[in-house]
Amino acid sequence: MNGDDRVSYSISDDPKTPLLPIHDEIQRRPSFRSSLTSIFTLKNLYILLGPLLCAIIYLCVKPGGSLTGSGRNMLAVLAWVFAWWLTEAVPMPVTSMSPLFLFPLFGISSADDVAHSYMDDVIVLVLGSFILALAVEHYNIHRRLALNITILFCGDPLNPPLVLLGICATTAFVSMWMHNVAATVMMMPVATGLLQRFPTGPTQSNVENKFCRAVVLGVTYSAAIGGMSTLTGTGVNVILVAMWKSYFPQEEPISFSTWFFFGFPLALLVFFVLWGIICLLYCPRGSGQALGAYLDKTHLKRELELLGPMAFAEKMVLAVFSMLIVLWMTRSITDDIPGWGALFNGRVGDGSVSVMMATLLFIIPNKKQKGEKLMDWNKCKKLPWNLILLLGAGFALADGIQSCGLADMLSNTLDFLERAPYLALAPAVCLMSSIMTEFITSNNATTTLVVPLLIPIAKTMHLHPLLLMIPGAIGAQFAFLFPTATPSNVVGFTTGFIEIQDMIKTGLPLKIAGIAALSLLMPTLGAYVFGTNKHV
């Protein structure tokens, strides 16, 4: 037998070798008690909670009066879905797919009808804008933008509040055109890269420590605030607009430009409040001299030079993005100036434009390697399918609630709110949404849960539905107090520069200012932009 034969011979070839390993000690079988413990875990109980609540409602609630049989079934499905969303018994995207089988099984709608909810023009808008955001991230355009703006605001002598304004404004601007979590993830390394020049540990002075905290807090909250100003900035805005379209199909849809005319002034007000708070708390007078040694234009220009001149690919991505923004803003302008969308008889939506411009990225060459385009599908693996499925579930539930008559039934039971003053109810709605996001669930899930409940309340009070829908949705974005409230807060907290006390100290006055600004702008600017003084 040669050497190769000896190597190829294995112990399993020997008939005397047992198939299973022999142990000197007999393995103990798991006890009945440990088996029960592994089955009755909190997670498994949460999984059972959804079907259990659904069964209780289905068996115990009898149709009658304004509650039809399909309405009772819809109520049971809502209990199942909401229980899983709130407890996260299964991953949220999986819960978001449950209407696809629950609706047909309970006779609420057909499989085809519920599936249509998962691919709407608003969802297409999210898909296209995320592809463009991935292109911006891939070509490092956000870093070039941040360095240029910081250099612009980095005067001589150094003015720390102005530097903070530059960093925060850049983050807010980036967050306007892509999801705020993606903007935070992209901008935080840029911001902390600037802070790496500062001393660490015991050698760091109080002024330097405070400035580091201010920068991280500014980036974290600026991303959330910037996202409020456009439809693409956060999933909450998209969910709100889609629910408006679903519940009130006869009304004019909220376009990108319509939302911008309201969202941008609101975001601008809250942004300057944020800037004022962090300057007041973390930028004492005379701090410019202490920080000037670490933040000067020479260092920043050197970093910018390392990126090299703008390549053809970067210029083309910027051109495509700029063209998309112009098309979004001019598709539908005013009643007197209809915009270019009128040329297509209103058949083209913001989602159509978003995907059309995203498609160009797969056609235009990047001029780096032969045959390579600006984007390829491998770069799109980070698309937020969890958000897309959540949006689809929200639309499906909205359609189900509307078709089963649950909205009208709820409106009849809330007639006691008819005399409640709006200026008291709007802040309460805002606060309720923000608290839910702080302690219970994500801002997207909060919006999906809360907004459908606010529509019948608005009808009971004889208010335009948007007067409560918008505070309920935007209020969910005012979750500034705790690290776990939003993914953006998590990104900021994990840098190690800030503590929970910093978030509470900055976030509490920011939350109060945001709720106050929104409550005052809705009946004033909102009446002009959304026509909330008209009856729906």
Side-chain angles (χ1 to χ4, degrees):
M1 184 181 290
N2 58 31
D4 291 338
D5 291 333
R6 285 193 298 271
V7 172
S8 64
Y9 179 79
S10 67
I11 193 167
S12 60
D13 294 325
D14 188 341
K16 297 179 181 178
T17 305
L19 295 176
L20 294 173
I22 296 175
H23 298 279
D24 293 334
E25 296 181 5
I26 299 174
Q27 289 185 335
R28 291 184 180 179
R29 291 184 179 180
S31 65
F32 180 71
R33 185 179 178 182
S34 63
S35 298
L36 282 179
T37 307
S38 64
I39 293 171
F40 292 105
T41 61
L42 191 60
K43 194 80 170 176
N44 288 341
L45 290 175
Y46 284 156
I47 291 172
L48 289 173
L49 180 64
L52 184 63
L53 289 174
C54 178
I56 290 171
I57 292 173
Y58 184 81
L59 295 172
C60 299
V61 177
K62 302 298 179 185
S66 58
L67 181 65
T68 61
S70 59
R72 184 267 317 272
N73 294 355
M74 186 65 211
L75 205 59
V77 169
L78 283 173
W80 184 332
V81 175
F82 286 0
W84 275 7
W85 262 340
L86 292 173
T87 60
E88 295 188 19
V90 296
M92 191 169 286
V94 178
T95 305
S96 300
M97 290 190 289
S98 59
L100 290 168
F101 66 86
L102 289 175
F103 277 31
L105 289 177
F106 282 85
I108 295 166
S109 64
S110 68
D112 282 340
D113 288 340
V114 69
H116 288 161
S117 301
Y118 285 78
M119 191 48 70
D120 183 89
D121 181 65
V122 177
I123 294 176
V124 173
L125 168 70
V126 174
L127 269 175
S129 62
F130 259 98
I131 290 172
L132 282 153
L134 289 173
V136 168
E137 181 183 12
H138 177 72
Y139 290 105
N140 242 351
I141 295 171
H142 62 292
R143 183 173 179 80
R144 189 183 294 277
L145 177 68
L147 286 171
N148 273 303
I149 292 180
T150 308
I151 288 169
L152 182 67
F153 282 88
C154 198
D156 189 19
L158 183 74
N159 188 335
L162 272 183
V163 174
L164 275 176
L165 179 63
I167 294 169
C168 294
T170 307
T171 306
F173 179 78
V174 170
S175 184
M176 286 169 62
W177 313 110
M178 60 185 66
H179 197 278
N180 54 17
V181 178
T184 311
V185 171
M186 288 164 61
M187 293 302 299
M188 194 60 75
V190 178
T192 52
L194 297 175
L195 302 180
Q196 285 174 359
R197 298 189 181 90
F198 289 84
T200 56
T203 58
Q204 189 178 58
S205 68
N206 186 48
V207 170
E208 293 157 0
N209 181 271
K210 281 189 169 185
F211 185 77
C212 291
R213 291 169 189 259
V215 168
V216 173
L217 287 166
V219 170
T220 302
Y221 294 144
S222 295
I225 294 166
M228 296 174 194
S229 56
T230 63
L231 290 186
T232 52
T234 172
V236 169
N237 296 351
V238 177
I239 293 169
L240 170 69
V241 169
M243 284 192 172
W244 168 254
K245 182 181 175 183
S246 179
Y247 278 95
F248 304 97
Q250 74 281 3
E251 299 296 325
E252 186 71 24
I254 299 174
S255 67
F256 187 95
S257 56
T258 303
W259 181 265
F260 182 81
F261 291 141
F262 176 80
F264 183 71
L266 171 66
L268 201 63
L269 276 176
V270 182
F271 174 82
F272 279 112
V273 170
L274 167 67
W275 181 55
I277 291 170
I278 57 177
C279 286
L280 189 66
L281 295 177
Y282 297 98
C283 287
R285 286 185 180 181
S287 58
Q289 189 175 357
L291 300 172
Y294 308 104
L295 281 177
D296 58 36
K297 286 189 175 182
T298 309
H299 290 152
L300 297 172
K301 285 179 179 177
R302 194 177 299 125
E303 277 197 33
L304 189 59
E305 286 168 4
L306 290 174
L307 292 176
M310 282 191 75
F312 173 81
E314 293 175 67
K315 292 176 182 176
M316 289 311 300
V317 169
L318 269 180
V320 170
F321 215 127
S322 303
M323 202 184 307
L324 173 63
I325 293 169
V326 171
L327 290 172
W328 272 339
M329 296 299 296
T330 57
R331 182 181 69 85
S332 175
I333 305 172
T334 64
D335 293 335
D336 299 326
I337 310 170
W340 61 265
L343 299 174
F344 300 92
N345 298 319
R347 294 190 183 94
V348 177
D350 289 326
S352 313
V353 180
S354 179
V355 170
M356 180 181 73
M357 301 310 291
T359 304
L360 288 179
L361 299 177
F362 298 88
I363 297 171
I364 301 170
N366 63 10
K367 290 196 174 180
K368 288 186 175 181
Q369 291 185 10
K370 191 175 180 181
E372 263 195 12
K373 310 302 180 184
L374 292 174
M375 285 289 282
D376 59 64
W377 192 248
N378 285 330
K379 297 187 183 82
C380 297
K381 289 178 180 177
K382 293 192 288 184
L383 283 172
W385 296 110
N386 56 340
L387 173 61
I388 289 164
L389 289 171
L390 179 63
L391 290 172
F395 305 157
L397 293 176
D399 290 340
I401 290 170
Q402 190 73 8
S403 63
C404 293
L406 273 184
D408 295 331
M409 188 196 77
L410 188 61
S411 178
N412 295 333
T413 60
L414 295 171
D415 55 358
F416 65 91
L417 290 170
E418 187 173 354
R419 296 181 182 178
Y422 175 75
L423 285 177
L425 192 60
V429 166
C430 246
L431 187 62
M432 177 186 69
S433 291
S434 68
I435 289 173
M436 280 185 67
T437 306
E438 297 278 11
F439 297 104
I440 301 174
T441 185
S442 69
N443 51 18
N444 291 330
T446 297
T447 307
T448 307
L449 296 173
V450 169
V451 168
L453 301 177
L454 296 174
I455 294 170
I457 294 174
K459 287 181 178 178
T460 300
M461 297 179 65
H462 306 293
L463 291 173
H464 193 287
L466 287 176
L467 285 171
L468 292 185
M469 291 171 71
I470 290 175
I474 294 184
Q477 301 174 66
F478 291 150
F480 301 130
L481 299 184
F482 299 104
T484 53
T486 67
S488 296
N489 291 7
V490 172
V491 173
F493 187 74
T494 51
T495 60
F497 285 100
I498 59 174
E499 298 173 355
I500 292 178
Q501 294 93 319
D502 296 306
M503 299 189 76
I504 294 173
K505 192 164 58 173
T506 307
L508 187 59
L510 187 61
K511 184 194 286 279
I512 294 168
I515 291 173
L518 181 58
S519 301
L520 292 173
L521 282 180
M522 266 314 301
T524 51
L525 181 62
Y528 175 74
V529 174
F530 300 115
T532 54
N533 51 350
K534 301 174 185 175
H535 182 70
V536 174

